[in-house]
Amino acid sequence: MGEPIRVKSLDPTLRHEIAGILKKYDFSNCLTCGMCTAGCIYSDLHEDQDPRKFIRKVALGMREEAENDPFVWNCTMCERCTVECPMGVNIAAITRAFRGKTPVPPGHLQVIADDHIRTGNQMGVEQIDYIETLEWIEELLQAQLKDPSYKIPLDKPNADFMFCFNAREIKHYPADLQTILHVFHAAKANYTISTKRWDATNICLFTGKDDEFCEISRPLFEEAQRLNPKEIIVTECGHAFRSTRQFARNYWDGKPIPVRHIVEIYADWIKEGKLKLDKTKNTVPVTMHDPCNTVRKEGVYEPQRYVIKNTVMDYREMNPEGKYNICCGAGGGALAVAATKQMRMIKAKPKVDQLVATGAKIGCIPCHNCIDQFNDMNKFYKLGMKMEHLSALVENALIEDIPEDAPEETSN
């Protein structure tokens, strides 16, 4: 048995303090039924991963125990527990509130936030490197499209949308950005990319530091206000999408601007005939992961299924999927917490079992954070699969009209 709980050591102000941080969110309707723990796929995989115990500490006023509970940073904030809760208690929101009380977040989380505030992007990419990378991608697309006049539309006012992405697509994965811009070109999209503010990520979605969360996201919306697009489209990055929408919903006080995920506009283009695809170009069996921030938290479920079913010949669903999907194990900023690599691979096992059960050879992972985890689990568990963003599969299925007078490619 554990130590007895001493009533005199309980702090009744704790629940009110957390409720204040959550803007009066009431979690007192918790029934202590344990459905949250039943819904947490990780509760039996390692210690200090029991949401029911954590929320009881908060409700009882066990301040010291709750504030120092490893659960606060072990939790991936995936909200799988909330799906099962009969009262809809959002334990992920409570976890984030406690994270915000931590003076210095673990791992590299604070470094990422500081870099974003300093440079305008989470990877600390300097302006000259950003512009040069865009110029390089532009040159590659000119060759790929056989069109030397192709230009990336930068700082274009009044476009249909402003495209915002993840700094990894500039620093580490420029080929991913090239792929996306190729799809945009095929759809004859009227869009713009800002030369000033373009990174839609916000690591403070995970650290709980609301002042820094606003300091990071506000300039992006100010840039959108300057360029006046009809909406913001966010790349395949669940946390970038979720944080941008959260800021638009809860903090932005300027001209309202809709925020949508890139898979939503792909679905629109396919339905409208603007994006012509030949799914016989993708014959290898494919399964798809539902990123927690995109699907369970923001409800974008049908669009990505509509896109993939129009993109590949052999699509195989994982079970469970949709809002009941299993988190990949890298959510909540776990990738940036150096000490959690081993724990991430432990948490990856249920998702590995899902992947293997489908018999698919390609895992479609429409999220930057998730795909890094999937690549790690692919190597760790020796799955021998290929992990792809949805945009890559879409690009491979493109049917394009190549101008008859386009110059022939020449070999060096």
Side-chain angles (χ1 to χ4, degrees):
M1 294 181 63
E3 290 292 320
I5 299 174
R6 306 290 182 183
V7 174
K8 65 179 181 180
S9 68
L10 302 182
D11 183 352
T13 68
L14 178 62
R15 63 186 305 133
H16 301 298
E17 178 184 329
I18 300 303
I21 294 173
L22 297 175
K23 298 181 180 178
K24 308 301 181 183
Y25 173 71
D26 183 12
F27 51 89
S28 63
N29 53 359
C30 171
L31 302 175
T32 69
C33 65
M35 286 301 294
C36 54
T37 301
C40 179
I41 197 71
Y42 307 129
S43 61
D44 295 328
L45 293 184
H46 62 80
E47 294 182 331
D48 302 312
Q49 188 66 47
D50 189 330
R52 179 176 180 269
K53 287 182 179 179
F54 175 67
I55 195 170
R56 290 311 293 157
K57 290 177 183 179
V58 180
L60 289 170
M62 300 172 68
R63 179 180 290 275
E64 184 176 353
E65 290 85 351
E67 290 179 348
N68 295 298
D69 195 330
F71 176 87
V72 172
W73 294 100
N74 286 350
C75 176
T76 61
M77 300 168 66
C78 77
E79 295 190 15
R80 184 63 178 75
C81 54
T82 300
V83 171
E84 300 294 344
C85 176
M87 304 304 290
V89 177
N90 192 325
I91 291 178
I94 299 171
T95 300
R96 184 177 183 274
F98 272 88
R99 289 184 173 196
K101 288 159 56 64
T102 305
V104 180
H108 306 304
L109 291 170
Q110 192 58 51
V111 172
I112 294 170
D114 292 342
D115 280 347
H116 205 145
I117 292 170
R118 177 179 61 85
T119 66
N121 67 88
Q122 67 157 316
M123 304 299 295
V125 176
E126 299 297 340
Q127 181 70 7
I128 187 171
D129 296 323
Y130 170 59
I131 297 300
E132 287 182 352
T133 302
L134 288 180
E135 291 173 348
W136 176 54
I137 292 173
E138 186 174 84
E139 291 173 2
L140 291 174
L141 280 167
Q142 287 172 351
Q144 183 180 11
L145 299 170
K146 300 179 182 179
D147 180 3
S149 67
Y150 169 83
K151 294 291 183 184
I152 297 174
L154 301 177
D155 297 330
K156 178 182 176 181
N158 307 314
D160 287 343
F161 65 91
M162 182 171 87
F163 180 54
C164 300
F165 39 99
N166 188 313
R168 297 182 201 181
E169 289 170 323
I170 285 292
K171 188 166 185 176
H172 297 305
Y173 308 118
D176 289 350
L177 186 54
Q178 180 182 344
T179 290
I180 292 167
L181 299 189
H182 183 193
V183 175
F184 286 0
H185 179 269
K188 298 180 173 58
N190 174 22
Y191 73 100
T192 191
I193 291 176
S194 169
T195 58
K196 297 180 179 179
R197 286 284 177 161
W198 43 273
D199 187 356
T201 67
N202 193 328
I203 203 68
C204 296
L205 181 71
F206 306 137
T207 67
K209 307 289 186 185
D210 275 344
D211 54 342
E212 294 180 358
F213 180 84
C214 291
E215 191 172 356
I216 286 171
S217 287
R218 184 171 295 280
L220 185 75
F221 278 76
E222 290 173 344
E223 180 65 356
Q225 187 166 265
R226 181 181 76 88
L227 294 176
N228 195 39
K230 294 176 183 176
E231 61 181 343
I232 292 174
I233 295 294
V234 179
T235 193
E236 292 182 55
C237 176
H239 110 251
F241 175 57
R242 168 77 167 171
S243 58
T244 305
R245 259 201 182 170
Q246 281 279 66
F247 184 83
R249 242 187 327 247
N250 301 324
Y251 302 98
W252 177 238
D253 53 6
K255 178 184 176 182
I257 181 166
V259 176
R260 290 202 296 159
H261 195 282
I262 194 170
V263 300
E264 296 181 273
I265 203 163
Y266 283 172
D268 286 351
W269 288 340
I270 295 170
K271 292 173 184 176
E272 295 164 3
K274 294 179 180 178
L275 202 55
K276 298 178 177 62
L277 305 177
D278 177 4
K279 63 182 182 180
T280 64
K281 294 182 178 182
N282 290 316
T283 59
V284 177
V286 179
T287 188
M288 183 170 63
H289 170 62
D290 285 316
C292 302
N293 280 306
T294 304
V295 178
R296 182 157 39 245
K297 298 182 184 181
E298 291 296 336
V300 179
Y301 170 79
E302 292 295 345
Q304 63 185 29
R305 271 162 183 74
Y306 182 83
V307 173
I308 199 164
K309 288 177 181 179
N310 280 276
T311 302
V312 306
M313 287 289 289
D314 186 352
Y315 174 61
R316 304 181 182 186
E317 195 76 82
M318 278 190 271
N319 182 32
E321 41 76 41
K323 72 176 182 179
Y324 295 102
N325 88 84
I326 297 173
C327 172
C328 68
L335 278 169
V337 181
T340 63
K341 176 67 183 290
Q342 182 178 359
M343 187 180 292
R344 282 198 292 114
M345 291 303 99
I346 292 172
K347 288 183 171 181
K349 188 57 169 63
K351 183 59 70 173
V352 167
D353 293 341
Q354 279 191 300
L355 288 168
V356 172
T358 67
K361 301 300 181 184
I362 295 177
C364 177
I365 321 297
C367 173
H368 266 293
N369 185 76
C370 296
I371 204 169
D372 283 351
Q373 170 77 341
F374 274 80
N375 283 329
D376 283 349
M377 72 170 78
N378 196 20
K379 295 175 184 176
F380 186 86
Y381 288 99
K382 298 179 173 60
L383 301 180
M385 294 181 70
K386 186 177 183 180
M387 304 301 173
E388 295 267 26
H389 285 306
L390 183 53
S391 295
L393 294 171
V394 170
E395 181 188 37
N396 196 56
L398 284 177
I399 301 172
E400 291 187 276
D401 296 324
I402 304 297
E404 292 183 4
D405 58 349
E408 294 290 331
E409 284 189 277
T410 58
S411 57
N412 293 329

